[in-house]
Amino acid sequence: MSILRKFFIFNATISKREDTEHENVLYYWPPHIALDRQTCDIGLARGLIGFANTFSPHKPLEVMQTEKHQQVFHSPEPDFWCVMQTTRPDPSKPAREDREPHYRILLSVLQKACRMFTLLRGSLCSLLSRSPDTLRHTLSAFFPAYLPTLALALESADLLDTLDGIQYLPVDRVSFLKMQSFVNKVETRFREVVATTVLVDDFLVYSGLNQNDTRCVYSFLTKRQARKCSPGEHVDHLVCLGEAGFLLKDPRTKEIATLTLHLTAHDNTVGLIVWQYSRALFAFFVTPGTEQLAFHDSLEQFLNQEIGTTVQAVTDHVSRSPLFDETYQYIYFNRMNLALKSSLRKRGTIVGSPLSAVSTTDISELMHFIESMHSDLQTMEGLKEVIVKTRHNDQWVVGRRSGEREFYAIFEGKHTLAEVEEELKKINLMFFNGIFID
């Protein structure tokens, strides 16, 4: 059963009259709730936001917890608020059976939903400038289809979702320059292409977008998993036809999928054309209205001729150089460039062969430790390191912060604190080249 209980969006500046206060409701789920109840919920949210602002004017309200429910608040744009209410675990159940997600995880899921709406439909302010009804209609068309994804994310999200980073593919200089040269050829030959993003195995190789746009597009492409669809399988209205080619809307008409995206650069609106080749995914961002058949045919012919050797150079390098070390379990995040490196992927999954077998339940508990460490390192001024030893399996969990960088590691076995420190030094030298030396 989903823990999602309510989800609503409002703007209190639309109507300041008491008799038309319901006009401030822009979207509310579940939709069967009476309008008076919706208005009351928004009034309560406004009261909580205003009360918190009295004590913390520079940091808006993020969470409110009661015995049975938890609400997270996010203001994606001035005067707009998104509120999500979830059900808290039954206190009579053991914590290991019904663990509550940290509120920062819930907040990250809410923030990602708002970013995805902006990416695919445009900013709330721009839609409101047309009319409140236009905004309501757009929200009502988008979120009923997106909320199942959001509800699923609430069940499985962990620290990796909170960080919302970008996993870069480590390639050698020659391979990267080959990819960059290929992208430059495409953008020089086809003036309609204003930027390009390249992924291999869901890792970012190259992006011509700014950092925020790259994060949104990366999340969109990897979460949709368009590259992993089977030939002919529909994925979010896109169809993949084998090992190479455009992702299509309809395999019968051969209509190429050109999705409209709203970016912070390139005059806001661009078209997205996705080309799949083997393990690589190329996202071409084109000027609005670029849907001529001649352009698609010319681009396809050029890609078929030029793309093979470039992708082969990158995938060959990846095959020779494993992405993850098989000894260590760790998470590294750099907030400055959003770089995320981890041998821990989804909850309950470990890449490589750890020192000893770890069950899904244990990984869930360990991730809970790491999520708490992350919160402490973010909120407690001067705190730079936390080390915890679990009661189960004699595991050590270490969290470190240095500037904008964070690092978390899990060590199996009966290590002493001195042994853990020695292992940390080895990881630092092997992967991070001393960046945690203050």
Side-chain angles (χ1 to χ4, degrees):
M1 184 177 67
S2 172
I3 65 172
L4 180 63
R5 189 168 182 268
K6 293 179 182 179
F7 177 90
F8 54 90
I9 301 172
F10 69 92
N11 184 326
T13 66
I14 294 176
S15 175
K16 297 186 180 294
R17 294 172 49 187
E18 190 172 338
D19 58 334
T20 58
E21 194 175 10
H22 62 276
E23 294 179 1
N24 294 327
V25 182
L26 296 171
Y27 179 75
Y28 193 100
W29 183 91
H32 61 76
I33 301 298
L35 186 58
D36 287 347
R37 179 69 258 176
Q38 296 179 22
T39 306
C40 287
D41 284 345
I42 287 174
L44 176 59
R46 288 181 60 191
L48 291 169
I49 293 166
F51 179 76
N53 186 65
T54 303
F55 300 95
S56 180
H58 303 296
K59 187 177 181 182
L61 177 66
E62 291 184 341
V63 63
M64 191 274 292
Q65 294 178 337
T66 64
E67 184 178 358
K68 294 183 178 180
H69 305 116
Q70 183 168 216
Q71 282 192 158
V72 288
F73 301 77
H74 174 53
S75 178
E77 298 175 37
D79 299 322
F80 288 93
W81 283 91
C82 299
V83 183
M84 181 173 68
Q85 185 181 93
T86 58
T87 303
R88 302 192 71 183
D90 185 346
S92 65
K93 292 185 178 180
R96 285 172 66 96
E97 292 182 15
D98 197 9
R99 190 180 300 281
E100 180 178 25
H102 196 280
Y103 87 86
R104 286 185 178 273
I105 292 178
L106 303 181
L107 183 60
S108 70
V109 172
L110 179 60
Q111 290 169 340
K112 191 173 295 185
C114 294
R115 286 199 298 268
M116 201 58 59
F117 174 84
T118 302
L119 178 69
L120 297 173
R121 297 293 184 269
S123 71
L124 297 170
C125 287
S126 64
L127 291 166
L128 181 62
S129 66
R130 301 179 197 175
S131 74
D133 285 339
T134 298
L135 177 53
R136 291 190 188 96
H137 175 76
T138 307
L139 290 167
S140 297
F142 177 83
F143 275 107
Y146 184 83
L147 283 178
T149 300
L150 184 146
L152 183 63
L154 292 175
E155 301 292 338
S156 60
D158 55 26
L159 179 64
L160 298 181
D161 299 274
T162 303
L163 298 174
D164 196 20
I166 299 170
Q167 297 212 54
Y168 292 89
L169 188 73
V171 297
D172 63 308
R173 183 179 301 177
V174 173
S175 299
F176 177 78
L177 290 176
K178 283 184 178 180
M179 184 62 73
Q180 188 178 48
S181 175
F182 173 76
V183 169
N184 289 339
K185 281 184 183 179
V186 173
E187 295 179 1
T188 301
R189 180 158 179 171
F190 301 94
R191 295 297 182 182
E192 299 90 342
V193 180
V194 297
T196 306
T197 294
V198 184
L199 279 66
V200 173
D201 293 338
D202 287 346
F203 290 84
L204 184 68
V205 179
Y206 176 89
S207 180
L209 303 176
N210 66 37
Q211 192 176 89
N212 288 332
D213 287 339
T214 297
R215 170 191 254 178
C216 291
V217 169
Y218 176 81
S219 178
F220 173 75
L221 292 174
T222 54
K223 293 299 185 293
R224 294 299 201 244
Q225 294 184 325
R227 182 190 58 78
K228 295 181 180 178
C229 62
S230 303
E233 179 185 353
H234 287 254
V235 177
D236 292 323
H237 309 297
L238 302 181
V239 180
C240 159
L241 297 178
E243 283 295 303
F246 291 110
L247 298 188
L248 309 178
K249 288 181 180 176
D250 190 331
R252 294 167 298 177
T253 63
K254 305 297 183 183
E255 182 186 3
I256 295 172
T258 304
L259 305 179
T260 299
L261 300 184
H262 301 264
L263 306 178
T264 57
H266 303 292
D267 296 326
N268 264 340
T269 305
V270 297
L272 170 66
I273 298 176
V274 182
W275 172 273
Q276 172 190 298
Y277 182 87
S278 184
R279 295 156 59 186
L281 202 67
F282 289 77
F284 298 109
F285 304 92
V286 299
T287 52
T290 306
E291 298 186 13
Q292 310 97 326
L293 184 60
F295 166 74
H296 292 149
D297 289 343
S298 180
L299 179 59
E300 182 174 22
Q301 183 179 3
F302 177 82
L303 294 174
N304 281 326
Q305 291 173 351
E306 302 284 342
I307 205 170
T309 56
T310 303
V311 173
Q312 192 66 42
V314 175
T315 55
D316 284 349
H317 176 76
V318 173
S319 300
R320 294 191 302 267
S321 307
L323 291 175
F324 301 101
D325 183 84
E326 295 185 349
T327 305
Y328 299 104
Q329 303 166 38
Y330 65 89
I331 298 172
Y332 165 74
F333 180 62
N334 185 343
R335 198 170 300 279
M336 294 189 69
N337 62 0
L338 303 179
L340 176 65
K341 188 173 183 179
S342 173
S343 61
L344 296 167
R345 285 189 176 176
K346 289 298 178 188
R347 189 184 297 271
T349 304
I350 298 181
V351 178
S353 304
L355 300 180
S356 62
V358 184
S359 70
T360 300
T361 303
D362 288 336
I363 282 295
S364 177
E365 184 173 1
L366 289 169
M367 289 301 290
H368 180 74
F369 276 123
I370 296 175
E371 288 153 12
S372 298
M373 286 181 178
H374 169 70
S375 179
D376 291 341
L377 290 169
Q378 290 293 310
T379 57
M380 298 178 67
E381 187 176 352
L383 183 64
K384 295 185 177 181
E385 182 175 82
V386 180
I387 301 178
V388 175
K389 187 176 183 181
T390 68
R391 290 178 295 178
H392 307 282
N393 302 328
D394 287 324
Q395 295 159 328
W396 290 86
V397 185
V398 180
R400 280 186 176 182
R401 179 180 178 182
S402 178
E404 297 298 317
R405 299 179 176 95
E406 297 176 50
F407 175 70
Y408 306 91
I410 301 170
F411 298 99
E412 300 290 328
K414 297 181 179 181
H415 297 279
T416 64
L417 187 57
E419 289 174 325
V420 170
E421 288 288 347
E422 193 63 33
E423 290 296 310
L424 283 172
K425 290 178 183 178
K426 291 179 182 178
I427 295 178
N428 193 36
L429 290 173
M430 185 180 300
F431 297 112
F432 311 116
N433 198 23
I435 60 174
F436 280 95
I437 298 176
D438 292 322

